[in-house]
């Protein structure tokens, strides 16, 4: 499987654990997961990308879409990523200013909006 | 000049195939590991763009990729076969400040982010019309040969 997804609840947050590659082929699966979570009333999401090997613009587009969807419900979407080569694509596109990015799930869960 | 050519049906699943081949050849050409990561991303972006264009225009002809190493440069050319491409032309800075949910749903946001990534990443990029119709995206980076050439010149 190119992309793995799992979710768990941590208090009032939902952690989405992503693994593998997020590209034009696999991004729709992540998009559907985020849409499902929001339509089920989960508006505070933490996307754990520590296990992600590859992220491209399609993946970024899905994450931005997710962020906008939760914000429509006064929610939040935080990312967990400490890998320089994944952070690089956020920097190049200026999206480090758009997403709160944390270096651990613990840090993301402790953050307040 | 060493050349590898790949031709693939415009399907999202084949973009990864193109990335794998490009990185394998870049490593063989002694390209620096950080640059191999950039190539992986840039080739993926250019091929995703081509797939998106073919699909939105109902174009079933294959997308072509050529990879070559010549005179200290590793060059990738991604060729699409879409006759009327509005995004052709100089690759300029892309303004992402007005992204919206609607854009992400129809893929046009990803298309703009994709261009921004290529522009930000690639050492040298050109988008030119292909003689038989469609577009060629030319991208190149220094290969391992450059370091050797530079060292040899310095020692001369």
């Amino acid at each position: 499987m190119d992309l793995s997804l799992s979710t768990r609840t941590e208090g009032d947050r939902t952690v989405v654990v992503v693994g593998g590659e997020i590209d034009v082929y696999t991004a729709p699966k992540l998009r559907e997961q985020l849409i499902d979570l929001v339509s089920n009333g989960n508006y505070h999401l933490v996307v754990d990308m520590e296990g992600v090997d590859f992220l491209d613009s399609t993946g970024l587009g899905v994450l931005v879409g997710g962020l906008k969807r939760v914000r429509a419900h006064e929610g939040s979407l935080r990312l967990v990523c400490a890998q320089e080569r994944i952070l690089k694509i956020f920097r190049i596109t200026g999206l480090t200013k758009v997403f709160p990015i944390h270096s651990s799930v613990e840090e993301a869960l402790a953050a307040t909006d | 000049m060493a050349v590898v050519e790949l031709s693939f049906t415009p399907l999202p699943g084949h973009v990864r195939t193109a990335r794998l081949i490009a990185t394998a050849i870049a490593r063989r050409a002694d390209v620096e590991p950080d640059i191999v990561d950039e190539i992986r991303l840039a080739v993926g972006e250019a091929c995703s763009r081509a797939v998106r264009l073919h699909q939105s225009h109902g174009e079933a002809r294959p997308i072509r990729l050529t990879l070559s190493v010549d005179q200290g440069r590793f060059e990738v050319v991604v060729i699409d076969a879409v006759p009327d491409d509005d995004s052709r032309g100089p690759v300029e800075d892309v303004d992402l400040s007005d992204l919206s949910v609607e854009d992400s749903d129809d893929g046009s946001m990803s298309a703009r982010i994709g261009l921004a990534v290529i522009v930000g990443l690639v050492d040298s990029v050109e988008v030119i019309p292909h003689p038989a119709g469609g577009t060629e995206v030319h991208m190149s980076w220094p290969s391992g040969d450059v370091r050797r050439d530079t060292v040899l010149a310095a020692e001369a």
Side-chain angles (χ1 to χ4, degrees):
Chain A
M1 199 70 240
D2 291 349
L3 179 78
S4 67
L5 285 175
S6 68
T7 62
R8 67 175 191 273
T9 306
E10 299 275 357
D12 64 344
R13 315 274 178 102
T14 304
V15 179
V16 183
V17 184
V18 189
E21 303 188 343
I22 311 175
D23 76 350
V24 60
Y25 181 63
T26 62
K29 191 175 160 192
L30 175 60
R31 184 169 165 270
E32 289 314 305
Q33 174 68 276
L34 295 176
I35 288 173
D36 279 350
L37 287 170
V38 173
S39 58
N40 286 321
N42 303 285
Y43 305 139
H44 293 282
L45 307 178
V46 172
V47 181
D48 178 358
M49 301 183 39
E50 284 295 84
V52 171
D53 299 321
F54 181 81
L55 172 69
D56 71 359
S57 62
T58 323
L60 286 177
V62 165
L63 291 172
V64 172
L67 178 64
K68 300 282 182 169
R69 276 192 184 89
V70 298
R71 283 205 176 146
H73 297 272
E74 323 278 310
S76 63
L77 191 154
R78 299 177 179 277
L79 302 179
V80 176
C81 180
Q83 296 185 75
E84 185 48 44
R85 62 184 175 146
I86 304 291
L87 289 171
K88 186 181 206 166
I89 189 174
F90 286 95
R91 278 198 244 289
I92 290 169
T93 53
L95 289 172
T96 42
K97 296 180 218 137
V98 169
F99 289 101
I101 303 179
H102 302 274
S103 45
S104 70
V105 173
E106 291 65 39
E107 197 191 286
L109 291 172
T112 51
D113 292 307
Chain B
M1 179 166 81
V3 177
V4 172
E5 289 194 7
L6 172 69
S7 164
F8 61 93
T9 308
L11 294 171
H14 288 319
V15 172
R16 181 168 184 265
T17 308
R19 292 198 305 264
L20 288 169
I21 290 174
T23 52
I25 294 171
R27 287 191 180 116
R28 277 293 163 84
D30 285 334
V31 172
E32 303 267 3
D34 283 352
I35 297 182
V36 173
D37 274 346
E38 290 184 5
I39 289 168
R40 188 180 176 203
L41 191 49
V43 168
E45 295 295 350
C47 291
S48 295
R49 173 187 169 277
V51 167
R52 198 177 292 124
L53 282 172
H54 277 231
Q55 290 192 329
S56 65
H57 286 77
E59 175 58 71
R61 279 180 296 170
I63 292 160
R64 286 175 45 220
L65 190 75
T66 67
L67 302 131
S68 58
V69 184
D70 187 35
Q71 296 178 336
R73 303 293 292 182
F74 174 83
E75 188 187 50
V76 180
V77 184
V78 177
I79 303 165
D80 68 66
V82 172
D84 300 310
D85 176 8
D86 296 331
S87 69
R88 199 178 304 169
V91 185
E92 296 155 3
D93 279 345
V94 181
D95 177 12
L96 297 174
S97 56
D98 60 342
L99 297 174
S100 74
V101 162
E102 290 69 43
D103 282 352
S104 82
D105 286 349
D106 69 14
S108 70
M109 180 200 313
S110 290
R112 288 164 61 204
I113 296 177
L115 266 185
V117 169
I118 293 174
V119 168
L121 269 185
V122 185
D123 190 40
S124 152
V125 60
E126 270 187 278
V127 180
I128 63 179
H130 182 64
T135 307
E136 301 181 358
V137 177
H138 288 247
M139 300 176 285
S140 69
W141 294 262
S143 71
D145 297 340
V146 168
R147 275 178 310 153
R148 265 179 248 135
D149 289 348
T150 311
V151 167
L152 288 170
E155 287 172 349

